[in-house]
Amino acid sequence: MRVSPSEVAKRIRNRAAALAEHPLTPHPVERFLKDAELRRRRKPGLPDVITAEELDSLCRRQWRKPLAATWHAPISSWKGSSAAFLWLHLEGGHTERVILKATLYSEDHNRASEDFPLRPGAPEFWIYGTAAPVLRQYLADCLFVIRRSGARSFVYVLEDLTVKYGKPPRTGGWQPGVLRMHDLHAALGEAAATHGSESLLNYDGSFGQELMDYAQNAIARFRDTANSSVAREVVDDWSRLSGCYLSAEFDTPQLYRPIHGDYNTGNLFYSRGESGQLKVVDWEWAGIGLPHLDLASYLRDAPPEVTKWAIEDLARREPDLSVRTHERLLLRCSLERAVWDASLLANQLRLDFNRFQRLGQGVTRSLSSAMVALNALAG
């Protein structure tokens, strides 16, 4: 069967993308392949969330040259958020590549989470806006930040971390992320003590109760739409799930501290040099809560021996509670994160049914994880 030129080109691009993601691919080759794919997708001009005048002012301030031309290529778009690579061509021939991140948290643009008990967004503006010195070592350089008046809209121009930083290694890379998480929490605590914590979200008992109400409705709708067996199992067992999650056993406010709120491997970048420096992105969900919530998010796909080590390490840091108690707190937070993810995805699916396969698989995986955590807690 004859293959069309477009199909050949598609296969070549798929092979190149797979090679770029392979853990054994040398960084220069990985970088070349990813840059080539980005350049293929880029378009002239700008997304409508930022103006050429704003970027020209940035270029004059940052690089002492006016802006001559721009291109952009999208990174992702979900839940009222979008991110793009920007190429800023300066007068004289030099080009800088940066990251544009824009978030719009309004009922019109973020309907999937309009009833969610917390409203993300402001914590990230606080993180980049205050830029507390103790936090800067963990942040991408923020070149531009603005909150649009009259709307819950935030725009950032950030350093492109992919130039000097990479994702955590797939093997042997878990422990540094755990250790640096505790350092990050300490830095957040110091920043909150200095600059105030009013902009941070609150993952307290009230949030837990409201999360259960939000999730029950979202997952029940998914069950009816998708005819999902795991969703039926979760809904049928909701009383046990909710009762276990909201148990007074897990009322430990003495452990609450500022946390990232979405501390997962996709949001971490490690220096490719010998320093092992860590950069963390996506701070919309930063808040006050249990450190176990960040740990549960980070260890989602970790092998059991890493999870066991992480629990023992946390127990050494918080010796007033037993290893067993920390283990159960981690399971409870794993249950919380799984229900949280499943319900947001289920509501997104309700509004974007064309993405049923991808979003539906995400809901099913999260619900399966919730049942694993629940059975471990109740067993």
Side-chain angles (χ1 to χ4, degrees), residues 44-46 59 66-71 87-91 94-96:
L46 291 169
C59 292
L67 180 66
T70 58
W71 297 268
W87 287 262
L88 307 177
H89 185 65
L90 311 179
E91 279 192 9
H94 182 63
T95 298
E96 293 284 346

Side-chain angles (χ1 to χ4, degrees), residues 201-222:
L201 305 179
N202 196 344
Y203 297 107
D204 59 7
S206 297
F207 163 72
Q209 181 61 67
E210 292 174 16
L211 173 64
M212 288 294 102
D213 295 339
Y214 172 87
Q216 184 177 20
N217 293 329
I219 295 167
R221 284 192 297 265
F222 177 78

